[in-house]
Amino acid sequence: MTFRDRFKMYLLGFIAGCFLVILFFGRKNSCKNYLTNYLPEGRVLLEVGAKPIFYSEQAAQQLQNLGIDTADFRKEILPQLHIDFDRSEPRAIPCGNYISSYNDSIGPLQIKFEKCKENSRIQEISIQ
């Protein structure tokens, strides 16, 4: 094998390696985002965020008391929820019921919501 052939093989491997590094460790919309959303918690939160969200009277009042806008809730709080699948009922009919928690500067919050086929509904938000 000549030097020229070895150099071609080296470049091919180098380019493939660079592509894989960018794919796994690159931008947020790369493979890393899809791998984290493959887990049940990520899939539920992705579905809830993609559907229209309705708020119960209690949830809307609690958001107002905390000074959180519904757009801020969807953008900042919803992606960071941690769902407690032991206390949730994901296979309830007609809509799955979920209990989740959120910890931040606001304080620990417990959020109960249901995920239906067409929409999602935030039922209750309580401070722990």
Side-chain angles (χ1 to χ4, degrees), residues 17-66:
C18 287
F19 176 73
L20 289 175
V21 166
I22 290 171
L23 182 68
F24 284 108
F25 302 112
R27 297 166 285 161
K28 290 222 181 238
N29 59 356
S30 66
C31 184
K32 184 178 179 182
N33 200 18
Y34 296 113
L35 289 175
T36 57
N37 285 337
Y38 181 73
L39 299 175
E41 184 174 276
R43 287 187 290 172
V44 168
L45 295 176
L46 192 64
E47 278 186 51
V48 169
K51 297 176 182 178
I53 298 178
F54 298 103
Y55 299 89
S56 68
E57 288 291 325
Q58 189 273 344
Q61 183 64 36
Q62 189 66 13
L63 283 177
Q64 187 178 15
N65 291 344
L66 293 171

Side-chain angles (χ1 to χ4, degrees), residues 65-108:
N65 291 344
L66 293 171
I68 301 171
D69 188 18
T70 56
D72 292 335
F73 178 83
R74 181 185 281 259
K75 185 192 278 186
E76 296 174 11
I77 295 177
L78 186 65
Q80 297 180 10
L81 290 179
H82 298 289
I83 299 173
D84 186 0
F85 284 102
D86 293 334
R87 299 183 339 180
S88 300
E89 298 174 10
R91 292 189 172 97
I93 297 177
C95 300
N97 297 314
Y98 295 91
I99 298 173
S100 60
S101 61
Y102 174 76
N103 292 321
D104 199 16
S105 61
I106 300 168

